Amino acid sequence: MQRTDVDEPFVRSLLRDQQPDLADLPIRPVASGWDNQLWRVGEDLAVRLPMTDRAPTLLAQEFRWLPELAARLPLPIPTPRRFSEPSELFPRPWAVVDWVPGQPADGVEMTDGPRSADALAGFLRALHLPAPPDAPANPSRCGELAPLKDGFEWGLSTLADTVDTPRLREVWNRAVAAPSWDGPPVWVHVDLHPANAVVTDGVLSGIIDFGDMGAGDPAADIAAAWKLLPEGAADPFLRAYGVTDEALVHRAQGWAVLSAFGLLSVGQAWEKGLPGGQPTWGRAGRRTLERVLRHGE
């Protein structure tokens, strides 16, 4: 089934088949990510329909862990409430989750830096607790940076005409040379860029899309100081979080650069009319690199 085959009557038929008490609520499409199509149901819920081969695994992972994590997190997240089985109507499992109010941060400005820095710091302090042994591993998103050198070099060569290559190489080399995380693996969101955060009245108000979460180095999330927050909010965030380890900051900047390269490549795809492009992601990538390079000046 393709995304274009899914409409409001179809989603209502899925609900009527497996979640009939929700089938008569208002249903409307909302902005969706790579792997799932999202439909708001009533005021408080949303249906997430996996549209890629990997999406059911990510959805099941969220269903397993997010209810536990949500209880301690100070910002709203899309906590799964119901899990529905594949059927003749739809060939993959799908979920009903909490609706997270606000607007995606890649489309609206996060104008209140101090309050957003405090909100993000509080969220990550609550999230970054030691993960259990059976937590998912995602070494390419929250492990060691050195094995990801090829991705950095590819990004640098692909974007050479648009980025400050020598200074970004300095940031990367410093990040790779920094001492590794020596604490226990902690829960890490791993994908905190503007499309995965929501804003209300200029303030960070929620975090979404935990599908790639894993246990590892918190630096991968500390990178949000430059990926997500507005100019000037990085230092207040680092203080509020309690970062005193320079190595953690260096590794976080390395993760921020890698993420920015991904955002820029998606933005370029949009500009060239290629599949998978997103109109707001190039700007988010450029802003990330600018903030990283300005930090500490």
Side-chain angles (χ1 to χ4, degrees):
M1 174 170 289
Q2 302 298 316
R3 287 176 179 265
T4 53
D5 297 329
V6 178
D7 56 14
E8 183 269 339
F10 177 78
V11 176
R12 195 174 298 280
S13 69
L14 287 180
L15 290 171
R16 187 162 286 116
D17 181 51
Q18 296 199 41
Q19 307 293 344
D21 59 312
L22 305 179
D24 293 326
L25 292 173
I27 298 173
R28 56 193 184 279
V30 291
S32 302
W34 292 107
D35 295 298
N36 297 282
Q37 190 169 113
L38 195 64
W39 291 76
R40 190 169 178 181
V41 178
E43 292 301 314
D44 302 320
L45 298 171
V47 164
R48 293 183 69 185
L49 298 177
M51 304 303 293
T52 65
D53 289 339
R54 77 178 197 131
T57 299
L58 303 182
L59 201 64
Q61 183 167 284
E62 291 190 12
F63 197 83
R64 164 66 181 88
W65 295 108
L66 288 192
E68 293 183 19
L69 296 177
R72 71 171 191 246
L73 297 176
L75 292 178
I77 66 172
T79 307
R81 298 300 177 185
R82 308 186 190 186
F83 203 67
S84 298
E85 299 298 327
S87 68
E88 293 184 2
L89 287 174
F90 191 73
R92 299 184 176 107
W94 50 279
V96 178
V97 305
D98 286 343
W99 172 253
V100 179
Q103 298 296 318
D106 62 331
V108 298
E109 291 294 326
M110 192 181 298
T111 55
D112 193 328
R115 290 174 62 194
S116 295
D118 284 344
L120 181 63
F123 178 84
L124 291 183
R125 284 198 311 269
L127 177 65
H128 290 166
L129 296 184
D134 57 339
N138 194 344
S140 67
R141 304 293 292 274
C142 57
E144 295 283 344
L145 280 167
L148 306 179
K149 178 183 177 182
D150 288 348
F152 171 78
E153 295 294 344
W154 175 87
L156 208 59
S157 63
T158 302
L159 304 165
D161 293 339
T162 61
V163 301
D164 189 335
T165 298
R167 293 183 66 197
L168 290 175
R169 189 175 293 283
E170 288 178 10
V171 172
W172 177 256
N173 290 340
R174 189 172 61 221
V176 172
S180 300
W181 173 246
D182 59 1
V186 301
W187 280 113
V188 188
H189 181 284
V190 313
D191 206 17
L192 290 175
H193 60 75
N196 288 338
V198 297
V199 174
T200 303
D201 296 329
V203 180
L204 176 67
S205 58
I207 301 293
I208 60 176
D209 198 353
F210 285 73
D212 287 312
M213 65 183 177
D217 182 357
D221 281 353
I222 301 301
W226 301 278
K227 294 194 298 178
L228 186 57
L229 295 175
E231 184 70 34
D235 282 331
F237 160 77
L238 295 172
R239 289 193 296 269
Y241 180 92
V243 173
T244 58
D245 180 2
E246 189 176 67
L248 180 58
V249 174
H250 292 333
R251 294 196 309 276
Q253 290 186 323
W255 284 111
V257 169
L258 277 183
S259 182
F261 286 173
L263 292 168
L264 285 166
S265 65
V266 172
Q268 285 189 344
W270 172 265
E271 293 166 2
K272 296 176 181 178
L274 300 175
Q278 295 288 342
T280 58
W281 287 34
R283 180 171 179 258
R286 288 190 295 274
R287 284 186 162 188
T288 298
L289 296 182
E290 290 168 359
R291 293 167 188 152
V292 168
L293 295 178
R294 287 175 185 164
H295 190 252
E297 287 184 347

